Amino acid sequence: MQRIEDRSAVVGVIGLGYVGLPLMHAFHSAGFRVLGFDVDPEKIAALHRGENYLRHLGPTMVKDMLAAGRFDVTNDFSRLADADAIISCVPTPLGSHLEPDLSYVEKTAEDIATTLRKGQLVVLESTTYPRTTREVMLPKFEAKGLRCGVDFFLAYSPEREDPGRKDFNTQTIPKLVGGIDPPSTEVAAALYRKAVKQVIPVSSAEVAESAKLLENIYRAVNIALVNEMKMVLTAMGIDVWEVIRAASTKPFGFQPFFPGPGLGGHCIPIDPFYLTWKAREVGMPTRFIELAGEINRHMPDYVVRRLSLAMNDRGKALKGSKILVLGLAYKPDVDDVRESPSFELIEKLEALGAHVDYHDPHVPATHKMRHHDLHMKSIELSPAALKEYDCVLIATHHAAYDWQMIADHAKLIVDTRNATRNVKGKRDHIISA
Ligand SMILES: NC(=O)c1ccc[n+]([C@@H]2O[C@H](COP(=O)([O-])OP(=O)(O)OC[C@H]3O[C@@H](n4cnc5c(N)ncnc54)[C@H](O)[C@@H]3O)[C@@H](O)[C@H]2O)c1
């Protein structure tokens, strides 16, 4: 506590991705010495050169930390012993049967356990099912003969990062902190209070773990609801976007969510299934969550069907046609393509015999991912290029797009984001999906 108070504590961060890197920056800005760990040698080398591989965090963030000192990164995990606090931000993906893949969390817990010493604070930030901190991490540490809450401290604090968001950042997003025991909550909350404006201690690690899942499931369920509304209202010839705008005028009791071509990003498509899996242990069905997942996962099929019907109306078969997908990132104005539905759209259209290209101002080329390896490069977007395609599919509404220019030159547009709402004329060529 003393070292936290006088900011002489070394803060170690494991997993220097979308969550870990800005977190390191937050503690560095608060005056702490930070030590980052990652298994990816390219990331470590880039950071040593002062390069930031996450563009939305700005070009100078890493350079500034390097110049200020108190900043180091390594893939030598024996140096975990140097850290007074260790915060783990490693991935928590799904396995091929939608089951939690905790291998990264387990590996990290083993790394920490190897050098665990008296006085260390360990915090897990990765999104996961309730009791992970207590059941997966704690036993590995106690096996060292150290006592939690006395010799070391262990807590869970969910990350609520929204990459690309301008109005909130790591420092200003309120932080939940729940310890394995009251002393752990106290120490972890004291640390975060130095770097984050508002810290909210909760009574246990399980409350903090579950709160994060509730936040993400709330989004998944509400997005599924508007996706269902979209399919129903579209079939009735009613504009779902205008309906959402209209409902949003109610000053209480309604929060707008927006339909799309499917779920993307690291969190919403994945996290609900962590709870679904864990719920089986207590014999509880999670029908609501699974139904939401089913509807959201169906959306790319719905979009492809709308697109092929629109082509059919124009006497065109998908087979042999040329389709341009606009937007590969899963949301506007970022280069994050993780779990992006655009990949599924491209694969489904290609499976039906279409030739597909894409354009994304933030993603010049595709790279190998867990489930996809498309080997594609973004085309140059121009009036002449647009005319080459039988259909333009709007998957992501990046602000950089000139929708009027696109509408003026595309033969047919399938718009999953209401991006073309202000386009003048050409309405006959625009289908919403
Ligand atoms: N991205 C978000 O917006 C977001 C928001 C809230 C919560 N989360 C959660 O935070 C966690 C991390 O997500 P992320 O988006 O930062 O992932 P990421 O893929 O951007 O970063 C994870 C990093 O961990 C590294 N890594 C993997 N195994 C490691 C190991 N054994 N030791 C050290 N480093 C290792 C990877 O090389 C990578 O750099 C996940 O549980 C995620 O669900 C993410």
Side-chain angles (χ1 to χ4, degrees), residues 212-257:
K212 171 69 188 177
L213 288 182
L214 175 60
E215 290 165 18
N216 283 356
I217 290 167
Y218 170 80
R219 283 187 60 73
V221 166
N222 280 287
I223 292 168
L225 178 64
V226 287
N227 277 333
E228 188 170 83
M229 287 294 282
K230 168 176 83 170
M231 292 187 284
V232 172
L233 294 178
T234 302
M236 293 176 176
I238 301 166
D239 178 358
V240 67
W241 296 92
E242 191 182 351
V243 171
I244 295 169
R245 266 202 312 280
S248 302
T249 59
K250 186 178 177 186
F252 47 83
F254 183 82
Q255 188 189 356
F257 285 83

Side-chain angles (χ1 to χ4, degrees), residues 262-294:
L263 288 185
H266 192 315
C267 300
I268 314 295
I270 293 176
D271 304 345
F273 294 102
Y274 268 69
L275 187 63
T276 301
W277 181 85
K278 187 68 175 172
R280 290 193 201 115
E281 192 177 290
V282 287
M284 296 301 292
T286 47
R287 282 179 293 165
F288 225 91
I289 303 170
E290 284 178 55
L291 179 61
E294 202 179 294

Side-chain angles (χ1 to χ4, degrees), residues 11 66 69 136 175 219 268 273 337 349 353 359 363 391 406 425:
V11 179
L66 265 180
V136 178
K175 197 99 178 82
R219 283 187 60 73
I268 314 295
F273 294 102
V337 295
L349 290 167
H359 175 270
V363 188
C391 180
I406 290 165

